[in-house]
Amino acid sequence: MRTFLPPSAADLFLRDLEQRTEHPDAASTIGAVLHLSGAVPELSNLQEHVAARLPHLPCMTHLLHGDSRQAQWVPAVPDLAHHVIARRVADGSQALEAAVQDVMRVPWPEGVPAWRLVLLHGHVPDGFALLYLTHHTVQDGMAIGAVLEALFGPDATIGQPAPVPRTPRAGLRQVGRSAAVLLRHAGKHHRWTAPSQQLSSRRRISWVRTPAWLLKAAAHRGDGASVNDVYLTALGHAIAGWANTAWPRAARAPVPVMVPVDLRTANE
């Protein structure tokens, strides 16, 4: 039987955060949408294809069980009839976006791996979309890319993990300092008191189409900047601009913001 490293503190924190959410919009569900051209595949064929790739993807056949030091990754057999489904949507990109947001609000069942693949079709005359969703406890953004490559890449990639930058394990001092920052910012800070924009657990997804070449060009002009640096900087400016308009006092109120950074090794 394959063994895994024990769950990290971040894994347990994300799961605990999920259990405390007050609204479905605040769930830690993440994923990606693949836009494809051509004929819509048969659902049964898609389910068979995914089933053939699952043995090489333990993140889709295990779940987090237990609490604290007893927590561990345990095997769980996915039910392809519920994990891989199809949904017809109305014509147009707005209908597709609405369908994605609707599926994202569906809660995760107990005792099964937290992922689903939804075949969305009907929004374009010659094409379809594959919506892959998972829980942040199980996968992060980089892992999602590797999973999609393993699911739909060439057969030669089966069993070969996607190249992932190896990052040294964080030292004890780093872990302690990060934990202190996390705990300090996890509580309510009571700094955002805009009467017209009160805090709530509800969320709304906004879509912005950004050409990848634009991010790469900006990163190239920066001194050692990555595409992710450019993306996060643009996102930060967008949030700051909205806050300044929604509540002018926000320009003078230091509101803490946490930015997640992937520190997992290729073996995690």
Side-chain angles (χ1 to χ4, degrees):
M1 179 180 293
R2 186 171 183 177
T3 58
F4 302 94
L5 293 173
S8 68
D11 297 331
L12 299 177
F13 172 77
L14 287 171
R15 186 182 63 175
D16 182 67
L17 193 66
E18 175 80 3
Q19 295 172 347
R20 296 172 184 267
T21 54
E22 301 174 357
H23 193 276
D25 288 353
S28 300
T29 298
I30 60 175
V33 180
L34 300 180
H35 297 268
L36 304 168
S37 60
V40 179
E42 293 290 336
L43 178 60
S44 58
N45 293 338
L46 181 60
Q47 291 171 337
E48 292 177 3
H49 175 86
V50 172
R53 301 290 178 102
L54 281 182
H56 306 284
L57 291 165
C59 61
M60 300 175 71
T61 56
H62 288 73
L63 55 82
L64 189 57
H65 177 73
D67 298 316
S68 189
R69 293 184 178 180
Q70 284 71 43
Q72 59 181 331
W73 297 105
V74 298
V77 180
D79 182 355
L80 275 299
H82 292 89
H83 279 83
V84 182
I85 60 177
R87 177 169 176 173
R88 183 175 182 85
V89 299
D91 181 38
S93 60
Q94 291 185 347
L96 176 64
E97 294 170 4
V100 170
Q101 294 190 46
D102 186 48
V103 175
M104 287 185 65
R105 293 188 179 96
V106 177
W108 299 105
E110 294 288 338
V112 298
W115 66 269
R116 60 174 57 99
L117 183 66
V118 185
L119 170 62
L120 300 172
H121 59 97
H123 57 287
V124 291
D126 183 25
F128 56 96
L130 292 177
L131 168 63
Y132 177 74
L133 295 176
T134 184
H135 191 274
H136 209 342
T137 301
V138 186
Q139 299 169 36
D140 52 26
M142 185 176 294
I144 287 176
V147 166
L148 291 175
E149 182 180 355
L151 280 176
F152 302 110
D155 292 343
T157 62
I158 296 181
Q160 300 179 8
V164 178
R166 292 187 175 273
T167 307
R169 298 289 291 178
L172 187 59
R173 179 179 297 179
Q174 290 174 296
V175 172
R177 186 170 58 184
S178 299
V181 172
L182 190 63
L183 290 174
R184 186 169 67 249
H185 289 174
K188 295 182 178 180
H189 49 72
H190 300 292
R191 295 177 183 175
W192 183 275
T193 57
S196 61
Q197 299 284 349
Q198 298 183 10
L199 297 177
S200 77
S201 296
R202 301 201 64 175
R203 298 180 183 179
R204 184 181 66 184
I205 299 176
S206 298
W207 301 77
V208 177
R209 298 184 182 275
T210 305
W213 66 264
L214 188 61
L215 298 177
K216 293 178 180 179
H220 182 72
R221 290 194 298 268
D223 185 13
S226 68
V227 173
N228 197 48
D229 294 333
V230 175
Y231 168 76
L232 291 175
T233 301
L235 181 63
H237 279 288
I239 294 174
W242 170 85
N244 188 47
T245 302
W247 186 43
R249 284 185 56 191
R252 300 184 300 275
V255 178
V257 175
M258 292 185 293
V259 178
V261 178
D262 190 347
L263 294 177
R264 302 186 185 198
T265 67
N267 296 323
E268 294 184 84

